Amino acid sequence: MATTMTDAHAAHAQDHHEPSFLRKYVFSEDHKVIGIQFLFMSLFFLMIGGLLAAIMRWQLAYPTDPSRPLPGAGLFPETMVNAGIILPEFYNSAVTMHGTIMIFFAIMPLLVGVFANYLIPLQIGAPDMAFPKLNMMSFWTAFVAGLIIMAGFFVEGGHSAAGWTQYVPLSADPEWTGVYTGQQLWLIAMTVLGFSSLMGAVNYITTVINMRAPGMTWLRMPLPTWALFITAILILLAIPVLTGALIMLLFDQTIGTTFFTVATGGEPLLWQHMFWFFGHPEVYILILPAMGFVSEIISAGSRKPVFGYNAMVLAIVAIGFIGWIVWGHHMFQSGMNPTLGMSFMVTTMIIAVPSAIKTFNWLGTMWRGDLHFHTPMLHAVAFVAMFVIGGLSGVFVASTPVDIFLHDTYFVVAHIHYVLFGGSLFAIFGAITFWFPKMFGRMMNSSLGKIHFWLTLLFFNLTFFPMHNLGIAGMMRRIYDFTQYEFLTQFQGLQVFISWSAFLLVATQVIFAFNFIYSLFKGAEAPQNPWHANSLEWTAAPSPPPHGNFERTPTVYRGPYEYSHPDAADDYWPQNAPGHAAPASEPAYAE
């Protein structure tokens, strides 16, 4: 391992020269630039996904009410919005593309594309990824996929309207949705994006296995890198299944194959099995990196070692493994042998065990710690609280008899948003704030960060918690006009309340966007190690790190969470500080 690492570093040093602007910022092979490229692209798609959610919520607050036209209705063609009224076809497209964009083009690249690229080489002491050119191709393939998915909004018939799960026959037969070209563009974009993810996963796995610095044993790796490593394995095994299904569905539409179409002898359930065999590991692709980031931030913010580091690693591995044998719980209503349904229910319940271990260990890490509630720490603690709520509601829908009642209701909408917004997005906000000084050499504004956090926490809960009640009352998800059902009209006031909370939640993100852009240019200059953390990106590389990351290959002497150690002079002990020497003290960033 050490020989491989040293050779790689030497090769990198020989290759050191000043690249052109295009090579440095556009077609860069530097893992840090590629991570930042993913950051800007996925933040753009996060904004698009948020605007689509706002359109949906306007329709649900004022369904087909001519006295409440959609603001900015003139920006949309009459095939989408007519006389200020959102048309059903466009509403279905908005629902479909909100889920698609948020999951595949925003949250997933934010968690993996950004932080796997940026953090893995820095945290293991490597000069770059194992395959820099493949890394560059991964980003530009994702960029092409983004262009294709956006093109679907501008073609005749509009974008895909079959839901983000693309169930057959809605996705296989255009007669059901009226969407032709848009549906095919959806399939092509997702296929192209799949190849991008595979290129990235191969790179991450190879880099972690082969390019760790001397002394960086498996059980000295920071938890974000552990989580990203297991996530890359999940991507490598899950994405080909989805890609294969997408190509089969595209062939059904374009060259007349009959994989999924009933009329020609196909099997619609085959799509559901293939989609969810990918789809449930995808849930953990969207949450495992977040767990890694939160573990890092909570330990640094508590000035204590991670409680039960080995158990945390085993829990990450266990979640990744068990995630493969629970996909059937998404199909309880599709027709299933009761014994098989029971087995899926039991395995789904079992996955709560490693999740609970992680939650317990986060609380154990904070217990009697010297807590520093800076902005990243606030987001990390919110992640734990919201993830617990999302996890508990998941226990209900994992139970076969309860799921019969709650399936396809707003209870499921509340559950998935507590996991993916309350969980993943709070962790992403925390991670961006935590590693912003490393990426750009400047601090994000603390006051704006805390205002953004508290307003996001407030409006997030006002938006999504009442949806549990709507679901229990029987409100269906993906419904265009709920007032057509008499038993749902009593919830008109609650729908308006949820929608205005959602609008304020979207508006609050403007604070984050302003803080991000302002801090890029005017933020306070960041100290070398603003959080007094131990891992190599803070203690062995400058901020921001140069091409090649380190002047010389660092040597690792201990784990990454040696906070408040009795042998250290300060309350942190860098991984690369030799022996029992005390770390060089420097002022922490005061918030």
Side-chain angles (χ1 to χ4, degrees):
M1 176 178 66
T3 303
T4 305
M5 177 62 219
T6 304
D7 291 345
H9 216 109
H12 225 83
Q14 290 173 3
D15 193 38
H16 182 70
H17 61 277
E18 189 61 32
S20 66
F21 178 85
L22 282 178
R23 288 296 305 275
K24 187 172 183 179
Y25 296 110
V26 182
F27 300 107
S28 176
E29 298 174 15
D30 189 317
H31 72 99
K32 301 180 293 297
V33 177
I34 293 169
I36 292 171
Q37 287 174 326
F38 267 112
L39 176 63
F40 284 104
M41 186 184 83
S42 45
L43 286 177
F44 167 78
F45 279 109
L46 186 67
M47 179 187 69
I48 298 295
L51 291 176
L52 288 170
I55 291 171
M56 292 157 46
R57 285 311 318 177
W58 189 270
Q59 168 62 22
L60 290 170
Y62 310 109
T64 60
D65 182 352
S67 67
R68 298 277 191 169
L70 177 71
L75 299 173
F76 298 90
E78 290 185 353
T79 54
M80 294 182 176
V81 180
N82 190 6
I85 302 297
I86 299 168
L87 300 181
E89 299 85 353
F90 179 50
Y91 178 82
N92 288 338
S93 282
V95 172
T96 299
M97 297 315 300
H98 167 70
T100 300
I101 287 177
M102 280 299 197
I103 290 174
F104 296 104
F105 290 88
I107 297 177
M108 188 172 169
L110 274 170
L111 288 168
V112 183
V114 176
F115 288 102
N117 270 301
Y118 200 90
L119 285 185
I120 286 177
L122 284 169
Q123 290 201 328
I124 65 173
D128 207 321
M129 286 289 181
F131 309 114
K133 284 187 171 58
L134 190 68
N135 211 20
M136 177 186 69
M137 288 173 60
S138 170
F139 170 74
W140 285 106
T141 306
F143 185 81
V144 170
L147 292 178
I148 297 172
I149 204 74
M150 289 301 294
F153 288 106
F154 302 99
V155 297
E156 185 178 354
H159 219 316
S160 172
W164 80 274
T165 54
Q166 297 287 306
Y167 273 12
V168 176
L170 288 178
S171 57
D173 187 351
E175 294 296 330
W176 289 94
T177 60
V179 179
Y180 292 82
T181 308
Q183 179 62 48
Q184 293 173 10
L185 287 174
W186 190 97
L187 293 168
I188 294 170
M190 295 300 297
T191 304
V192 173
L193 187 66
F195 284 108
S196 166
S197 299
L198 290 175
M199 285 188 273
V202 168
N203 229 341
Y204 309 146
I205 294 169
T206 307
T207 302
V208 171
I209 292 176
N210 292 305
M211 297 183 68
R212 284 172 286 128
M216 181 62 80
T217 61
W218 286 101
L219 292 181
R220 285 180 177 173
M221 283 203 311
L223 288 172
T225 296
W226 255 114
L228 291 164
F229 176 66
I230 298 298
T231 299
I233 295 174
L234 290 179
I235 290 174
L236 193 64
L237 298 177
I239 291 291
V241 179
L242 175 67
T243 304
L246 292 169
I247 293 172
M248 291 161 68
L249 187 54
L250 185 63
F251 284 175
D252 272 9
Q253 287 206 359
T254 54
I255 62 174
T257 56
T258 57
F259 292 110
F260 305 116
T261 309
V262 176
T264 51
E267 177 53 78
L269 277 180
L270 175 62
W271 169 265
Q272 292 190 29
H273 279 290
M274 295 184 76
F275 182 86
W276 286 117
F277 190 75
F278 144 82
H280 203 78
E282 170 72 4
V283 173
Y284 300 109
I285 290 170
L286 297 174
I287 201 69
L288 281 179
M291 291 175 166
F293 306 154
V294 164
S295 302
E296 185 87 3
I297 294 170
I298 285 180
S299 182
S302 303
R303 315 311 296 164
K304 278 182 62 183
V306 167
F307 183 83
Y309 171 90
N310 290 356
M312 293 289 262
V313 171
L314 289 174
I316 291 173
V317 176
I319 290 172
F321 174 76
I322 302 174
W324 288 100
I325 53 176
V326 300
W327 84 92
H329 74 228
H330 294 278
M331 299 170 59
F332 285 152
Q333 306 308 305
S334 300
M336 183 181 297
N337 183 298
T339 304
L340 184 61
M342 175 69 76
S343 67
F344 278 122
M345 182 179 76
V346 171
T347 54
T348 303
M349 295 289 186
I350 289 174
I351 209 167
V353 175
S355 301
I357 288 173
K358 297 188 75 66
T359 303
F360 177 78
N361 286 9
W362 288 321
L363 297 178
T365 303
M366 287 188 284
W367 177 252
R368 292 189 174 182
D370 179 16
L371 300 178
H372 293 242
F373 285 108
H374 43 58
T375 307
M377 183 69 169
L378 290 173
H379 282 291
V381 175
F383 165 91
V384 177
M386 299 301 104
F387 176 72
V388 167
I389 295 175
L392 290 176
S393 61
V395 172
F396 288 97
V397 292
S399 173
T400 312
V402 181
D403 186 64
I404 291 172
F405 179 72
L406 295 175
H407 190 80
D408 262 345
T409 70
Y410 258 75
F411 190 92
V412 179
V413 178
H415 162 65
I416 193 171
H417 282 88
Y418 265 91
V419 174
L420 294 187
F421 191 127
S424 301
L425 266 181
F426 271 110
I428 287 169
F429 287 137
I432 290 175
T433 314
F434 190 76
W435 279 287
F436 189 93
K438 178 55 57 179
M439 291 180 176
F440 304 108
R442 295 181 181 276
M443 304 297 298
M444 291 186 73
N445 184 280
S446 173
S447 299
L448 287 175
K450 289 178 178 175
I451 291 171
H452 164 256
F453 165 76
W454 286 112
L455 291 179
T456 299
L457 184 67
L458 173 66
F459 294 130
F460 165 77
N461 281 288
L462 293 180
T463 300
F464 293 107
F465 200 84
M467 290 184 185
H468 291 105
N469 291 347
L470 284 178
I472 292 171
M475 175 157 170
M476 303 75 84
R477 63 195 295 195
R478 299 168 182 159
I479 187 171
Y480 170 69
D481 183 1
F482 66 89
T483 60
Q484 294 177 346
Y485 298 85
E486 186 177 350
F487 76 99
L488 292 176
T489 55
Q490 61 180 310
F491 299 110
Q492 173 71 49
L494 184 58
Q495 293 283 8
V496 172
F497 175 81
I498 291 174
S499 289
W500 278 99
S501 298
F503 301 149
L504 292 171
L505 178 62
V506 172
T508 298
Q509 306 320 307
V510 175
I511 300 173
F512 178 82
F514 173 80
N515 191 11
F516 184 92
I517 297 171
Y518 176 83
S519 301
L520 277 177
F521 301 100
K522 300 289 186 180
E525 188 174 343
Q528 166 68 23
N529 187 359
W531 316 113
H532 282 180
N534 292 326
S535 46
L536 295 179
E537 77 270 27
W538 298 111
T539 60
S543 297
H547 189 63
N549 295 338
F550 308 100
E551 290 185 3
R552 60 180 63 85
T553 302
T555 299
V556 175
Y557 297 95
R558 59 189 62 81
Y561 304 113
E562 295 293 342
Y563 293 106
S564 304
H565 194 286
D567 290 341
D570 216 329
D571 69 343
Y572 68 111
W573 204 359
Q575 283 189 282
N576 60 324
H580 293 282
S585 184
E586 64 172 4
Y589 179 73
E591 290 206 355

